[in-house]
Amino acid sequence: MGDPKPSSTAQIVALGAILASYDPEYGSLVPSEAIGITTKLLAESSTWARLTSNALRFPVARKVGSLVERLTIPGMSLHYLLRKKAIEDFVRECLAAGSKQVVIFGAGFDTLALRLHREFPEVLFVEIDHPATQACKRAAIEKHGLAGANLHFISADLAHELETGIENMPTIGVAEGLFMYLPQTTVQDLLSALADQTNLGRLIFTFMDLQTNGKPGFKRSAPWVDWFLKLRGEPFLWGLDPKDIVAFLEPLGLSEVQILQSRNLQRRYLRSISADVSAAGEVMCVAKPSR
């Protein structure tokens, strides 16, 4: 996570969303505005990401992309779409209930805040991310005039910097695809800082389940995926058995509202598609202050 270059994982997630948007069965899960924004963000992140995102307009490139996915983590692109769809739905529910601030840790090239901050001008949206990744995103945002006054950015290496400087108001916290890259103590410190500095209403985060070998990871992941993540400086460091989520949250003053695993997300959004078509192993948790 200390790589001075933009996160390769953030780029891969964004490219996966573009790839999945072309699928005739579930591509409609991608908000129409999201792909245009994602393409602009990737264009500023690296030559490789820009060329790859442009190439995905062509069927042969998408076939290659689908093959690579099957050889690494089958169903990964669909998993990206399902978790993003669920997170956006939860955020919208909280905003409708009166939340005034959305804080997104490790936003990467996600478009949630970029899209919703114009729809909800009375809400403050804050993205906290690694400086190198955020610098690329902000360059694209400034180039294309994508940000309004209620979208703020805070650069921080979340593995080491815990001071966020966010506002004390009714808040939704979001950490999508982040905590698996941090030690458990850092995860706990971040959540404590969020609860201390804001009037936290809901926390939406994902974490990796522990596999049969006791390590965090996706169930159908190819063995060399772990090697690739380590090579890129982004190995999985923390995971949790979902049955232990209450014991994890309680010391932080949080309680579970809902747990969603891959099968739950598929039932929610893909009723016409058979089970286990998306990658399994990452779990979504919605929590609230227990006090």
Side-chain angles (χ1 to χ4, degrees):
M1 300 295 286
D3 194 333
K5 297 180 180 179
S7 167
S8 58
T9 300
Q11 295 176 77
I12 290 170
V13 170
L15 289 167
I18 292 176
L19 175 64
S21 72
Y22 287 95
D23 189 277
E25 292 185 277
Y26 51 78
S28 59
L29 289 172
V30 184
S32 57
E33 185 185 7
I35 296 305
I37 296 175
T38 301
T39 301
K40 292 180 175 69
L41 300 180
L42 287 171
E44 298 297 326
S45 66
S46 70
T47 301
W48 166 78
R50 174 175 55 81
L51 293 176
T52 303
S53 63
N54 289 337
L56 288 175
R57 293 178 296 173
F58 302 100
V60 64
R62 296 198 293 273
K63 289 181 179 179
V64 172
S66 297
L67 175 61
V68 171
E69 181 178 296
R70 289 196 297 273
L71 294 174
T72 53
I73 307 175
M76 193 69 234
S77 294
L78 176 56
H79 171 69
Y80 294 152
L81 297 196
L82 294 176
R83 81 180 187 190
K84 289 181 181 299
K85 173 63 174 172
I87 288 172
E88 180 165 342
D89 285 351
F90 282 122
V91 169
R92 286 182 176 277
E93 288 176 12
C94 293
L95 292 175
S99 293
K100 296 301 181 183
Q101 179 174 236
V102 179
V103 177
I104 304 178
F105 290 100
F109 297 118
D110 182 67
T111 68
L112 181 66
L114 281 169
R115 290 182 290 107
L116 295 192
H117 85 282
R118 294 190 183 279
E119 185 177 343
F120 299 92
E122 74 284 0
V123 176
L124 179 62
F125 290 80
V126 182
E127 290 194 0
I128 305 173
D129 206 357
H130 189 279
T133 303
Q134 193 175 86
C136 293
K137 188 172 191 175
R138 295 186 69 174
I141 288 170
E142 292 171 7
K143 181 177 180 178
H144 297 282
L146 299 176
N150 61 321
L151 177 58
H152 295 181
F153 297 93
I154 299 174
S155 295
D157 183 346
L158 293 172
H160 304 289
E161 301 171 31
L162 303 178
E163 294 299 325
T164 58
I166 49 185
E167 300 292 332
N168 187 0
M169 61 178 71
T171 295
I172 310 162
V174 179
E176 175 192 3
L178 171 66
F179 287 164
M180 64 279 287
Y181 300 107
L182 302 174
Q184 179 172 323
T185 53
T186 302
V187 173
Q188 293 169 322
D189 288 342
L190 280 172
L191 295 183
S192 295
L194 181 66
D196 290 343
Q197 295 187 38
T198 71
N199 180 7
L200 183 64
R202 285 291 184 273
L203 171 66
I204 307 162
F205 68 98
T206 66
F207 63 93
M208 296 307 302
D209 194 355
L210 299 178
Q211 303 310 311
T212 54
N213 60 5
K215 296 180 179 180
F218 288 97
K219 290 184 177 179
R220 294 183 289 169
S221 174
W224 57 269
V225 170
D226 287 343
W227 172 84
F228 173 78
L229 290 172
K230 290 179 182 178
L231 181 66
R232 299 300 302 171
E234 300 176 3
F236 289 164
L237 298 178
W238 176 68
L240 183 71
D241 189 317
K243 72 175 184 294
D244 296 327
I245 189 65
V246 172
F248 171 75
L249 292 173
E250 278 185 347
L252 301 171
L254 298 168
S255 60
E256 171 201 341
V257 175
Q258 193 169 4
I259 285 284
L260 294 171
Q261 302 195 48
S262 60
R263 60 181 179 272
N264 307 121
L265 293 173
Q266 289 175 143
R267 292 190 189 114
R268 179 181 289 235
Y269 297 113
L270 304 176
R271 293 182 178 86
S272 63
I273 297 179
S274 61
D276 298 326
V277 293
S278 71
E282 186 178 17
V283 183
M284 181 180 299
C285 176
V286 181
K288 65 178 180 179
S290 51
R291 53 185 180 277

